[in-house]
Amino acid sequence: NNNNNNNNNNNNNLNLNLINSNNLINTNNNNQTKTIEQIFEKIYKNSNSKDERFKRLNAVLTAIDQIIIEKKTTPTPNAYFALLFTSLADNWKKTTENEASMLLYLIAILIPNVTIAGLRTKFSTIATVFCNLIDTNCESLTILQPLIKCIGYLIRAQDHSNPWLSQGQTLKLFNFILTITIDSRQKLRKSAIKAIRIIAEFNSFSAKECAEVIFPFCEKLFNNSNETDLPNRKKENLLIQSTLLMLTSVLPVLHRVTIASLSQTIIENLLNGVFFTQQMVITGFECLTMLFNDPKSNISFETTAKLYEKIYELQSLESSSIVFLQFIQLLTSATIKLISFNPNLNLENLSIALTTLVDSYYNEDIQVSKCLTENIKKLINSTIDISKINIDNVNEQNEWNTASIEETIANFAEHLQNATLQSYKSNWSQLLIVLTVFFQKLGPYITTFASELFKQTGSLLETMNSNTNNNKIPITPQLEQAFEAAIIAIGPKETLELFPIYFEDDAIRLPRVWILPFIKHHTGTKDKINPNLWSFEYFANTIVFWADQIKELQQKAISKGHETRSRHLRAIYVQIWDLFTCFSQASDVAQHFPIVARRLGIAISDEPPLRISVLNGLIQLIEHNKTNLQSQNESIANLAKQNINSIAQYSKNFLPILFNLYSTVREEQIPLPTSIIAFVSISSKELVNTFFSSVVAKLIEATKIITTEAKSNNNNNNNNNKEIKKKSNKLQKLNDRAAALFLSDLTCCFIQSLNQTSLKLLYKAIKPQLLQQIISDYKLEKKSYKILSLMCQYHPKFVYRNIDKLLQVVLGTLNSCSSPSKKSRLRCISSIVKSLPVNNEKLLKKLTLKKKKKSSKSIKKLQDSDMQTDDIDIINNDDNNNNDNNNNDNDAEIDGNDNDAEIDGNVDIEYEINAFKKLFAEIVAEVILCTKEKNNKARKEAYNTLIEMAEKLRQNPLVENQPINVLDLGIKEFFLMVLAGLAGKTPFMISASTLALSRLLFEFQKYLDAETLIQLIDAVTVLLKSPNREIVTSILGFCKVVIVSINRDILESVLQTLVSRLVVWANEAKNQFRTKIRILFERLVRKFGFDKIATFLPPSESKLMAYIKKEKQRKK
């Protein structure tokens, strides 16, 4: 208020000029104008803080806001600065240190956003106040720290067309900041260094002006230190240390001439011993390193080249590992900077630097080794560009041209090889990491520049693997990574040429037997391999040829009785075929798959040891190309299509082989079902229908035989040869049953690729098993439900068009379904619920017309009814015009033009929801009971089905646009339907209903009104009075959901009731009730506090709250 009434002309002028300069360009650090709220965001956020400092800062800003409003001025950074500075200028003599520091703190936050013109106009006035504050508060940290920042921005704002060094105030302020950089107080030093950098990096003129002051300042300090005797240089050493720290940040942004002079001075002082302490040497290295690393550095190429020549001399200063670490970083930074100016002219320096660093691995210090590794990796990735490699640069003597990228790479590879030839050291693991990066960088040029290094790496790995000691050498993982990187880079062809397999007349000699499994293990699942290097042509013409040669040698060994050699050759034979999976990403499959197709079929059918590798390879080959079909790159998609067509030509040969194996081989490791699915997915529709019709016909025949035998066994009770016939019938029944089970499994492999006609045929085949017609076999029933669930999953259009028939079967088998079939049955129910028609009165009436509970007679009639022509509607798609490989997509589309799918806009919303309710009422009880099934997957499907039923009501397009009471009509009624299960006669039903309500509440509580939620919580928690532990356990889970998900206000309204009911079981140790209830109370305490919860607890439970409070304090 005093500031507002002040009539001082200078201050009024300052106020006016700063406020009226808002339209000028605002140049700040971000080059963006910020609002007041953004500038003082931290202060405004802490307006309610208990910190008195933030309270006072908010009070000051509030007062300024009022003044701005009274003056009807736009609230800009300039306006706020003017008022804050006016207050400071008028009262700097009267205000206390705390008040002045608060004002300066606000000004320091604000000044980066004040316009340059505003600061420049009133520079003299502002500088005078700052000088006065310096003179009177030279020891106050809280004043000097924000003041230094303000001075930095003030000097930066000066008119640089005239040297500001000639201005007394400016020079005084800058010298003050410069002096602070060597102050003993660290926070002030940091602030001063930041301020100088703010000034120097503003533009080239500022950098030059700063340099003209900083250079003599540093020269004087260095010279004074050199003239002082060593025993008396403690104070000077501290000053030099502070100066070097300042230069570390400031030197890169100074003028180029000063950079050259000062950096040369630092190196000379380092070499001459002026900087003789270890800490001074380290700081000197850091200063030079930052000069090369700083992205805003103004250092020139000439200066960099001169300094680079001197850097190697600094290696003589290596007095400890710490100093050597800094030297490594300095050499790396200088090399990268030098190469960045002209990569072609400085390759010789790069070569010297790389070899120097590699040769430094003689130092086994782990920190030095890690530092060497990181810096060599940085050099390799930053300076070696393989795109500039020109193989033509080699002359007739196989010597690389001087000072070329080729020579640099070759020299580095040679030094790495020499390093690996030395005796083992503890830091070899770090050297091998460098080797890995080098191989990754070279890529396919490994064979050109580093073939000997690659061979040496393989020899080392062979030596490690042949180590008979139980203690594995610790560098083996790094060595494997390096070798793996090389194999991925050059491919199998080049690898096996460098590590060849030699064949003789009757023997095979493998110098490195481990190479084949190594390639398989380390590259078989890599997604980043180059498909061009893993050519299918190489596999078809070379790998398979080797395998056949080894097989011949094995047969010769068997004929000669060499069993051991035979087993050895057999193992190698399998290892070679294991490489097949590595070629799954090859791009030339279309041209060369026909060469090996017959050989692959023989391997699958006649050679059991090869089946897993070959089948996995075929699966990966098909799936990879199917994935590439979806690629946005047209050439990749076309190539994948050609590959798939080439493989699909042989489906008619592979599928019978796979069917025969599926019927005879029952090894879980062999992926026969996946293989069949893969081939069926790429086969023509005619071929799929042919095989499928045959399989289904056999399935129907097998089930009919079982049914006939079951009928004859029921009628034949008085046969004389009863026991003999019983045994023979039982044996025949087992064979037929095994065939039916096998054919059911085989059918699952076709479902994804079937058309509507085939789906009808399949439904006809499985319906007797679904209805348990004549026979009762839970395995066949389980298989049939699995088939039906897959039909629902892959063909939603089929489900939609035949939903009434499917509902009839599902509801008709409600009481007869066995427990193992529950999972697949629930999946079917979930799919049916998803496909329920919306806004289709005709189909809704069809579904709800006869939904009374069926008698056993009507169910018997359903079981005896055979599949009629109209039992399943067939969609008359023009299948011949569809793509053979897109049946699944066509089947999954719902035809909007069908009569059954027509939308009747006059359907009453309440009628539709009531129709859904009638349907759900018949199946919800079964779904609820399945939430307590022993099978975990069945329980998950039960919960998913409940959610689907609720989602069907919530996502109804008619419901979503209705008032809230219509919305309640769906979700609320479904909750009440499930809630009715609490009236069940058995604890099992009550517990299951509670679990179902818990999941539904967690998912849909936001769609229920407060009144419904309160009634629901009360209805469920009242059962805590039940003595049955099964019921109580499920209700405790419900309470946890309530506490976690319910709105705080609603929960507070039922808090007393909830606490009083929970506390009944608080002291019950059995079933971990006490622990569960304690956890619930801990959650309540976090929401409402100790005091509120304690008011609802009886005195006898005070120990519980005391324990919770104690544990909370202990965690803090």
Side-chain angles (χ1 to χ4, degrees):
N1 291 332
N2 291 336
N3 297 337
N4 194 29
N5 297 325
N6 194 296
N7 294 320
N8 186 285
N9 292 331
N10 291 333
N11 293 336
N12 285 339
N13 290 336
L14 173 70
N15 224 335
L16 181 63
N17 288 331
L18 283 174
I19 292 176
N20 291 337
S21 63
N22 294 329
N23 295 327
L24 297 173
I25 296 175
N26 181 18
T27 305
N28 53 37
N29 289 341
N30 315 345
N31 294 323
Q32 295 177 354
T33 303
K34 293 183 178 180
T35 64
I36 294 299
E37 289 75 16
Q38 292 173 330
I39 294 170
F40 295 116
E41 181 181 6
K42 182 180 177 181
I43 297 173
Y44 286 138
K45 278 186 177 180
N46 291 277
S47 57
N48 297 323
S49 173
K50 296 180 180 179
D51 191 340
E52 290 296 328
R53 183 166 169 267
F54 279 111
K55 289 182 179 179
R56 289 197 294 268
L57 290 171
N58 273 284
V60 173
L61 291 178
T62 303
I64 293 176
D65 290 338
Q66 293 175 356
I67 296 172
I68 294 287
I69 293 171
E70 289 175 4
K71 289 189 175 185
K72 298 181 180 180
T73 305
T74 306
T76 61
N78 279 19
Y80 274 75
F81 178 81
L83 291 173
L84 285 168
F85 187 80
T86 301
S87 177
L88 180 66
D90 291 346
N91 300 289
W92 67 271
K93 291 183 180 179
K94 305 175 186 177
T95 56
T96 62
E97 181 179 328
N98 288 337
E99 292 171 347
S101 64
M102 274 197 304
L103 291 172
L104 280 170
Y105 178 78
L106 293 173
I107 292 171
I109 295 175
L110 192 62
I111 199 169
N113 300 278
V114 177
T115 58
I116 296 292
L119 294 175
R120 188 177 295 173
T121 303
K122 287 299 176 181
F123 171 78
S124 179
T125 305
I126 299 172
T128 301
V129 174
F130 285 170
C131 289
N132 292 333
L133 287 170
I134 291 170
D135 295 336
T136 56
N137 297 278
C138 60
E139 299 298 327
S140 174
L141 181 64
T142 56
I143 289 179
L144 290 181
Q145 198 169 354
L147 181 59
I148 290 168
K149 180 181 178 180
C150 294
I151 292 172
Y153 280 99
L154 180 65
I155 296 176
R156 189 190 71 161
Q158 292 317 293
D159 184 3
H160 298 288
S161 58
N162 297 317
W164 46 262
L165 287 177
S166 59
Q167 303 173 19
Q169 284 183 316
T170 307
L171 185 59
K172 179 181 178 181
L173 291 174
F174 189 80
N175 280 329
F176 165 71
I177 297 176
L178 194 57
T179 306
I180 294 296
T181 59
I182 58 174
D183 192 275
S184 59
R185 291 165 288 187
Q186 183 180 6
K187 289 185 178 180
L188 286 182
R189 289 202 306 271
K190 289 183 178 180
S191 299
I193 291 170
K194 287 180 182 178
I196 293 176
R197 177 141 184 147
I198 286 169
I199 300 167
E201 68 183 11
F202 184 61
N203 56 36
S204 59
F205 189 86
S206 296
K208 183 177 179 181
E209 292 285 289
C210 291
E212 291 181 10
V213 180
I214 292 173
F215 180 71
F217 176 81
C218 296
E219 284 282 337
K220 183 179 178 181
L221 281 174
F222 294 157
N223 293 334
N224 291 341
S225 176
N226 195 22
E227 294 171 359
T228 308
D229 296 335
L230 289 177
N232 302 320
R233 284 175 58 177
K234 184 176 180 180
K235 182 178 179 180
E236 284 74 9
N237 290 345
L238 292 175
L239 294 177
I240 291 176
Q241 181 74 16
S242 300
T243 305
L244 289 173
L245 287 173
M246 180 266 292
L247 289 176
T248 301
S249 178
V250 173
L251 183 58
V253 295
L254 296 180
H255 192 265
R256 289 187 172 187
V257 176
T258 307
I259 289 176
S261 302
L262 274 175
S263 56
Q264 191 68 30
T265 301
I266 291 172
I267 289 181
E268 289 176 358
N269 286 330
L270 284 168
L271 293 173
N272 296 333
V274 176
F275 303 158
F276 65 94
T277 67
Q278 178 175 293
Q279 190 59 44
M280 289 167 65
V281 173
I282 292 172
T283 310
F285 282 177
E286 288 176 348
C287 181
L288 294 172
T289 303
M290 186 56 67
L291 178 62
F292 298 118
N293 282 343
D294 197 313
K296 296 183 179 180
S297 178
N298 295 324
I299 190 170
S300 64
F301 169 70
E302 293 78 11
T303 304
T304 304
K306 289 180 181 179
L307 294 177
Y308 196 81
E309 294 175 0
K310 294 283 187 180
I311 284 174
Y312 284 100
E313 298 179 19
L314 296 176
Q315 192 172 4
S316 61
L317 299 177
E318 179 191 343
S319 57
S320 65
S321 297
I322 300 176
V323 176
F324 190 47
L325 288 174
Q326 296 301 325
F327 171 76
I328 293 168
Q329 296 178 22
L330 173 59
L331 179 59
T332 304
S333 302
T335 305
I336 293 173
K337 189 69 176 179
L338 190 65
I339 295 294
S340 67
F341 286 110
N342 194 330
N344 296 325
L345 294 178
N346 302 294
L347 289 172
E348 187 175 355
N349 293 320
L350 171 62
S351 180
I352 296 171
L354 286 170
T355 54
T356 301
L357 292 175
V358 170
D359 292 342
S360 299
Y361 274 103
Y362 69 86
N363 190 329
E364 295 189 50
D365 184 272
I366 187 61
Q367 295 299 327
V368 172
S369 299
K370 288 182 178 180
C371 183
L372 282 169
T373 300
E374 291 302 318
N375 283 275
I376 295 175
K377 285 167 60 178
K378 191 186 297 183
L379 271 177
I380 292 173
N381 292 323
S382 302
T383 59
I384 295 180
D385 186 2
I386 63 170
S387 64
K388 296 181 180 179
I389 292 177
N390 185 5
I391 302 300
D392 296 333
N393 283 345
V394 63
N395 56 29
E396 295 179 357
Q397 288 76 29
N398 283 341
E399 295 179 355
W400 302 107
N401 293 339
T402 307
S404 65
I405 184 66
E406 295 83 11
E407 182 191 36
T408 302
I409 294 173
N411 289 340
F412 183 55
E414 183 180 355
H415 274 75
L416 281 176
Q417 184 181 351
N418 293 335
T420 57
L421 289 172
Q422 297 176 6
S423 59
Y424 172 76
K425 291 184 173 60
S426 59
N427 60 355
W428 263 30
S429 59
Q430 297 298 318
L431 180 64
L432 292 172
I433 294 174
V434 172
L435 197 61
T436 303
V437 175
F438 184 57
F439 283 151
Q440 290 172 343
K441 189 70 176 179
L442 278 187
Y445 291 105
I446 290 175
T447 53
T448 306
F449 299 102
S451 59
E452 293 301 321
L453 177 60
F454 180 48
K455 290 180 180 179
Q456 177 64 25
T457 307
S459 299
L460 283 172
L461 186 58
E462 182 180 21
T463 304
M464 300 303 174
N465 289 331
S466 62
N467 180 30
T468 56
N469 297 332
N470 293 329
N471 297 327
K472 196 173 183 180
I473 298 178
I475 65 166
T476 303
Q478 290 81 8
L479 197 57
E480 289 178 350
Q481 289 176 6
F483 201 70
E484 174 190 325
I487 293 176
I488 293 174
I490 65 177
K493 182 178 180 180
E494 298 291 345
T495 301
L496 293 174
E497 284 181 0
L498 293 172
F499 296 91
I501 303 175
Y502 301 103
F503 295 96
E504 298 174 359
D505 293 337
D506 59 347
I508 178 173
R509 181 163 56 89
L510 252 71
R512 297 175 176 90
V513 181
W514 52 271
I515 189 69
L516 295 174
F518 187 92
I519 294 175
K520 164 66 173 65
H521 178 71
H522 290 273
T523 61
T525 58
K526 297 295 179 183
D527 297 329
K528 296 183 179 180
I529 65 173
N530 186 350
N532 296 324
L533 295 175
W534 297 77
S535 167
F536 208 80
E537 178 185 9
Y538 181 71
F539 173 78
N541 295 331
T542 305
I543 301 293
V544 175
F545 174 73
W546 288 351
D548 291 340
Q549 279 190 298
I550 293 175
K551 188 174 182 180
E552 291 179 7
L553 293 174
Q554 183 204 5
Q555 291 173 351
K556 289 181 180 180
I558 293 174
S559 63
K560 293 180 180 181
H562 299 159
E563 294 183 5
T564 303
R565 183 166 185 75
S566 172
R567 287 195 298 268
H568 175 68
L569 290 170
R570 186 66 176 175
I572 297 171
Y573 177 66
V574 173
Q575 288 175 1
I576 290 180
W577 271 104
D578 283 345
L579 295 179
F580 179 42
T581 56
C582 302
F583 293 85
S584 60
Q585 299 185 37
S587 56
D588 58 342
V589 176
Q591 296 80 11
H592 302 98
F593 186 81
I595 300 174
V596 294
R598 183 174 180 276
R599 187 69 184 84
L600 293 172
I602 294 172
I604 295 171
S605 60
D606 300 337
E607 301 184 69
L610 306 183
R611 283 173 184 164
I612 295 177
S613 298
V614 174
L615 289 176
N616 281 328
L618 288 170
I619 292 169
Q620 292 178 25
L621 198 62
I622 294 172
E623 293 302 324
H624 175 73
N625 284 282
K626 285 171 64 177
T627 302
N628 285 350
L629 277 176
Q630 312 300 325
S631 174
Q632 300 296 326
N633 189 321
E634 188 175 350
S635 61
I636 294 176
N638 291 335
L639 191 62
K641 186 175 182 180
Q642 295 175 13
N643 293 340
I644 287 178
N645 291 337
S646 177
I647 301 171
Q649 293 176 4
Y650 297 91
S651 294
K652 60 184 178 181
N653 305 105
F654 281 104
L655 284 174
I657 296 173
L658 296 174
F659 294 160
N660 293 333
L661 284 177
Y662 201 14
S663 63
T664 56
V665 178
R666 285 302 180 187
E667 296 182 24
E668 295 182 358
Q669 297 86 351
I670 301 179
L672 286 170
T674 311
S675 304
I676 295 172
I677 292 172
F679 273 103
V680 167
S681 66
I682 64 172
S683 300
S684 64
K685 186 173 66 174
E686 292 79 8
L687 182 64
V688 172
N689 289 338
T690 301
F691 280 121
F692 176 74
S693 300
S694 175
V695 171
V696 173
K698 291 178 181 178
L699 176 62
I700 294 174
E701 182 181 356
T703 53
K704 280 184 178 180
I705 292 173
I706 298 174
T707 303
T708 305
E709 290 176 353
K711 286 181 179 179
S712 63
N713 288 336
N714 292 335
N715 297 328
N716 189 12
N717 296 325
N718 299 317
N719 199 308
N720 295 329
N721 300 320
K722 184 176 180 181
E723 293 185 2
I724 298 174
K725 286 191 175 183
K726 185 176 180 181
K727 290 182 180 179
S728 61
N729 289 339
K730 184 177 181 181
L731 182 61
Q732 181 63 34
K733 184 177 179 181
L734 287 175
N735 293 333
D736 294 333
R737 180 175 178 271
L741 292 174
F742 156 68
L743 292 168
S744 298
D745 285 334
L746 191 58
T747 304
C748 294
C749 302
F750 286 87
I751 292 175
Q752 192 171 349
S753 303
L754 296 181
N755 58 21
Q756 297 295 318
T757 305
S758 299
L759 288 172
K760 176 196 171 182
L761 183 64
L762 178 59
Y763 183 82
K764 179 179 179 179
I766 65 172
K767 185 177 179 182
Q769 285 77 256
L770 295 175
L771 299 175
Q772 293 288 285
Q773 190 170 338
I774 304 298
I775 58 172
S776 180
D777 190 318
Y778 76 90
K779 284 192 176 182
L780 279 175
E781 181 193 35
K782 180 181 177 181
K783 299 288 185 185
S784 300
Y785 269 112
K786 181 181 178 181
I787 293 172
L788 184 60
S789 68
L790 292 174
M791 292 169 65
C792 294
Q793 178 183 349
Y794 293 118
H795 301 280
K797 188 176 185 179
F798 173 83
V799 178
Y800 181 82
R801 292 300 307 276
N802 303 284
I803 193 169
D804 54 332
K805 283 84 175 180
L806 294 175
L807 268 175
Q808 188 180 15
V809 171
V810 169
L811 296 177
T813 58
L814 181 63
N815 298 323
S816 60
C817 181
S818 61
S819 181
S821 306
K822 292 289 187 182
K823 178 188 71 174
S824 299
R825 176 180 168 83
L826 288 168
R827 286 179 180 171
C828 297
I829 293 174
S830 180
S831 298
I832 291 171
V833 170
K834 283 183 184 179
S835 301
L836 284 174
V838 176
N839 207 11
N840 190 329
E841 184 176 5
K842 180 181 176 181
L843 191 51
L844 280 174
K845 287 182 178 179
K846 192 176 180 181
L847 293 177
T848 57
L849 187 61
K850 297 178 180 179
K851 294 301 177 185
K852 294 183 179 180
K853 188 173 182 181
K854 296 178 177 59
S855 63
S856 59
K857 185 176 180 180
S858 62
I859 295 176
K860 179 71 167 57
K861 184 179 179 181
L862 176 65
Q863 291 175 338
D864 291 338
S865 64
D866 197 3
M867 181 66 60
Q868 303 297 326
T869 305
D870 61 343
D871 192 29
I872 290 292
D873 293 336
I874 302 175
I875 301 175
N876 296 319
N877 292 329
D878 188 8
D879 292 331
N880 295 327
N881 296 329
N882 293 334
N883 191 311
D884 291 343
N885 296 323
N886 294 330
N887 291 327
N888 183 34
D889 294 336
N890 293 333
D891 292 344
E893 295 175 0
I894 297 180
D895 187 357
N897 296 323
D898 283 312
N899 293 330
D900 288 345
E902 289 180 356
I903 294 180
D904 182 3
N906 298 322
V907 177
D908 181 56
I909 180 63
E910 293 191 19
Y911 171 79
E912 185 164 291
I913 292 179
N914 286 330
F916 287 161
K917 284 168 53 184
K918 289 178 181 178
L919 292 175
F920 293 166
E922 302 206 27
I923 57 177
V924 71
E926 179 187 9
V927 177
I928 290 173
L929 288 172
C930 287
T931 59
K932 289 182 71 68
E933 279 285 331
K934 292 182 179 180
N935 189 310
N936 182 42
K937 292 182 180 179
R939 293 199 302 271
K940 287 183 179 180
E941 290 299 331
Y943 286 124
N944 291 338
T945 305
L946 282 171
I947 292 172
E948 287 295 338
M949 295 164 76
E951 286 283 355
K952 193 65 181 179
L953 295 170
R954 187 185 69 83
Q955 292 182 350
N956 189 315
L958 296 176
V959 174
E960 290 182 346
N961 297 323
Q962 297 296 323
I964 189 67
N965 60 336
V966 179
L967 179 65
D968 288 344
L969 187 64
I971 296 293
K972 182 178 178 180
E973 290 296 328
F974 186 69
F975 267 88
L976 294 177
M977 191 185 302
V978 178
L979 187 65
L982 297 181
K985 296 181 180 180
T986 62
F988 188 89
M989 181 63 186
I990 297 172
S991 175
S993 301
T994 307
L995 293 175
L997 285 170
S998 302
R999 182 60 184 273
L1000 290 171
L1001 182 65
F1002 182 78
E1003 297 287 344
F1004 301 102
Q1005 53 87 18
K1006 59 183 176 182
Y1007 300 106
L1008 298 177
D1009 58 87
E1011 182 181 357
T1012 303
L1013 284 171
I1014 292 172
Q1015 292 175 356
L1016 177 65
I1017 295 169
D1018 182 68
V1020 176
T1021 56
V1022 73
L1023 293 175
L1024 283 170
K1025 298 178 182 179
S1026 170
N1028 188 282
R1029 294 179 181 275
E1030 183 180 8
I1031 296 174
V1032 173
T1033 301
S1034 59
I1035 294 176
L1036 291 178
F1038 176 84
C1039 292
K1040 184 176 181 180
V1041 173
V1042 168
I1043 295 171
V1044 170
S1045 59
I1046 296 298
N1047 180 275
R1048 189 180 187 278
D1049 296 333
I1050 299 175
L1051 183 59
E1052 189 173 8
S1053 62
V1054 297
L1055 185 60
Q1056 184 173 359
T1057 304
L1058 184 63
V1059 171
S1060 62
R1061 290 174 178 174
L1062 284 173
V1063 80
V1064 174
W1065 294 90
N1067 296 318
E1068 183 62 47
K1070 196 173 182 180
N1071 298 100
Q1072 297 183 337
F1073 282 172
R1074 183 160 53 192
T1075 302
K1076 293 177 181 178
I1077 289 176
R1078 177 174 56 80
I1079 292 172
L1080 294 178
F1081 274 110
E1082 287 175 353
R1083 291 181 178 273
L1084 288 172
V1085 166
R1086 283 200 292 269
K1087 277 198 170 186
F1088 300 102
F1090 286 99
D1091 297 336
K1092 188 158 192 173
I1093 301 300
T1095 57
F1096 301 136
L1097 286 173
S1100 59
E1101 302 301 330
S1102 59
K1103 291 183 179 180
L1104 174 62
M1105 296 304 295
Y1107 176 80
I1108 294 173
K1109 193 170 185 178
K1110 181 180 178 182
E1111 286 296 312
K1112 187 176 181 180
Q1113 291 175 350
R1114 183 180 296 172
K1115 289 179 181 179
K1116 289 183 180 179

